Amino acid sequence: MRWQGFSDPVQDGQRHFRRVLAAMAEPGTLHDAAATAVPEDAAIGPALWATLLSLCDLDTRLWIAPGLEAGGLADAVTFHTGCRKVATPDGADFALVTPATLVDPAPVFAEGSDAYPDRSTTLLVVLDALAEGGPWRLTGPGIPDTRGLDVGEATALMTRLAANRARFPQGLDAILGCGDCLAAIPRSTRLAGPVSATPEEDRTCTSQ
């Protein structure tokens, strides 16, 4: 099996786009992505593949971190969406990464400016585990009180996103994908942790 697009590109694309919007509106909540399957040798799961299909188009610039092009992903996303692959992360609208990508020396991404905060890179992060509840505490818009999130071994990612607070409205938004599940952490979210997990940890996704 190779990379497949949506059965109905318009309706399925809009449906998944609404999932992404819901995830951004309620940071740290998990959303199921009933998307087309991916090849067995793919380095990303169905949730992020659907996200690429929904968000990328002819005007989109995409950077793919080394190691994530397994199964011919770069050619597939270009074929299905027409987006342009760029060689450097600071020129990308979207960057497909793993937490390991962000370990020093971390790539430099566009973070926008005070006048144009939208001119920043959105991270699409491939995770091995993703669960509601957990050691990282999220606060801010869309979060009543606090919300916990477990992202597995992704300290470099969360540390990088926590730095958004000092640069807001500049910064990076992140869409997290693990298997069929996705979550999001927009730059307006404040992060603290890790702390002990709480009983709210009742939804878990793994890449297996």
Side-chain angles (χ1 to χ4, degrees):
M1 180 188 69
R2 304 318 298 164
W3 299 93
Q4 299 177 15
F6 290 130
S7 298
D8 185 330
V10 175
Q11 295 298 324
D12 292 345
Q14 291 179 350
R15 189 174 297 114
H16 188 77
F17 182 69
R18 288 193 292 270
R19 291 190 188 100
V20 174
L21 290 181
M24 294 291 286
E26 297 183 282
T29 58
L30 265 59
H31 298 261
D32 296 322
T36 183
V38 300
E40 290 185 0
D41 58 348
I44 70 172
L48 282 182
W49 173 236
T51 301
L52 287 168
L53 293 176
S54 299
L55 299 182
C56 294
D57 58 28
L58 292 171
D59 296 323
T60 301
R61 299 164 297 173
L62 174 67
W63 182 74
I64 302 176
L68 293 179
E69 294 184 337
L73 172 62
D75 290 339
V77 71
T78 298
F79 174 79
H80 285 287
T81 72
C83 76
R84 293 173 288 157
K85 181 185 172 185
V86 295
T88 58
D90 59 347
D93 300 302
F94 298 101
L96 186 65
V97 302
T98 67
T101 307
L102 306 177
V103 175
D104 289 336
V108 176
F109 300 102
E111 296 192 13
S113 64
D114 289 341
Y116 299 100
D118 57 311
R119 296 179 181 176
S120 62
T121 302
T122 296
L123 303 181
L124 308 179
V125 188
V126 182
L127 296 177
D128 292 327
L130 182 61
E132 293 180 344
W136 291 93
R137 310 307 298 175
L138 283 61
T139 59
I143 305 172
D145 193 19
T146 66
R147 181 172 290 137
L149 188 65
D150 187 347
V151 293
E153 300 297 322
T155 300
L157 165 69
M158 301 303 272
T159 300
R160 179 63 191 82
L161 296 179
N164 281 333
R165 183 174 184 179
R167 297 179 58 80
F168 190 83
Q170 299 178 54
L172 302 173
D173 299 317
I175 299 170
L176 317 177
C178 178
D180 294 331
C181 296
L182 64 85
I185 303 177
R187 73 190 70 182
S188 57
T189 301
R190 296 182 292 275
L191 297 172
V195 298
S196 298
T198 67
E200 68 181 323
E201 189 172 0
D202 58 358
R203 289 200 62 199
T204 303
C205 292
T206 63
S207 59
Q208 302 300 317

